[in-house]
């Protein structure tokens, strides 16, 4: 089996990270892979906000926690030191959600290829509908009708952070020959 197929089969969501910051070159490679995801009509509607600032990371975590309805102190990003937020411009192309989802997949698969743990965290849509999210976009100079697609939490995997793959379900594929 080739290396790409091995990565696709071995990647699993990580729910326990070390607090060690990613190497800059690894983070840049992961982000670059995200920018090469296919997009409808090559409109490249998604954007990626790369958050390595701990103070901002913790604020985003708290907003996400509130939206999710968890108790105070819970970190929906499982201690990951990096959050990549994918948003897509709804005005540019009707495929913006699919485009952003493909970016998310590329980010997570690229992370796995470099030995970096990842997990897709939802509630980005709701997060960027709040004043907090709107203000963050404004502070970053991002204009347009952007919808949050998801967060990719990234970090080095801590012991016990990744479970083994579940068996593939029956009838996953229906062949028509």
């Amino acid at each position: 089996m080739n290396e790409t197929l091995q990565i696709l089969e071995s990647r699993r969501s990580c729910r326990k990270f070390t607090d060690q910051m990613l190497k800059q070159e690894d983070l840049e490679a992961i982000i670059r892979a995200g920018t090469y995801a296919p997009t409808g009509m090559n409109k490249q509607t998604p954007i990626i906000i790369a958050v390595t600032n701990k103070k901002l990371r913790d604020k985003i975590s708290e907003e996400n926690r509130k939206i999710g309805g968890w108790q105070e102190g819970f970190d929906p990003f499982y201690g990951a030191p990096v959050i990549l937020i994918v948003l897509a411009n709804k005005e540019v192309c009707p495929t913006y959600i699919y485009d952003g989802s493909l970016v998310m997949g590329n980010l997570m698969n690229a992370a796995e290829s470099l030995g970096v743990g990842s997990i897709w965290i939802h509630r980005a849509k709701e997060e960027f509908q709040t004043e907090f999210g709107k203000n963050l976009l404004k502070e970053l100079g991002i204009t347009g009708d952007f919808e949050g697609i998801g967060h990719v939490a990234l970090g080095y995997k801590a012991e016990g952070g990744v479970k083994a793959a579940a068996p593939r379900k029956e009838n996953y594929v229906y062949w028509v020959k």
Side-chain angles (χ1 to χ4, degrees), residues 27-173:
L27 182 54
E28 288 175 8
I30 291 165
I31 292 168
R32 182 172 167 82
T35 69
Y36 277 88
T39 59
M41 298 177 279
N42 197 29
K43 295 284 186 176
Q44 300 179 34
T45 62
I47 60 170
I48 302 166
I49 300 173
V51 180
T52 58
N53 176 287
K54 181 161 176 33
K55 187 175 176 182
L56 179 57
R57 178 252 183 252
D58 290 347
K59 284 181 183 178
I60 293 167
S61 175
E62 178 61 12
E63 289 299 314
N64 196 282
R65 180 201 66 79
K66 288 177 190 174
I67 293 165
W70 290 287
Q71 291 183 5
E72 204 167 313
F74 176 73
D75 178 9
F77 299 110
Y78 302 102
V82 176
I83 302 170
L84 302 180
I85 309 166
V86 177
L87 300 99
N89 193 328
K90 299 189 300 188
E91 298 173 329
V92 176
C93 188
T95 62
Y96 71 96
I97 292 174
Y98 312 117
D99 297 348
S101 296
L102 286 165
V103 169
M104 297 283 292
N106 270 28
L107 293 170
M108 292 184 293
N109 288 320
E112 182 68 21
S113 78
L114 297 171
V116 173
S118 69
I119 186 169
W120 180 324
I121 302 298
H122 291 280
R123 295 166 298 284
K125 178 179 179 178
E126 297 84 354
E127 205 170 273
F128 284 89
Q129 291 172 337
T130 68
E131 287 307 308
F132 171 84
K134 291 175 186 176
N135 288 336
L136 178 57
L137 293 178
K138 187 176 181 179
E139 288 171 21
L140 294 171
I142 298 170
T143 59
D145 193 9
F146 283 91
E147 182 172 303
I149 305 301
H151 311 78
V152 176
L154 292 175
Y156 296 112
K157 303 169 192 173
E159 187 71 33
V162 179
K163 293 181 181 177
R168 301 296 90 179
K169 68 180 183 177
E170 286 189 43
N171 302 322
Y172 212 137
V173 177

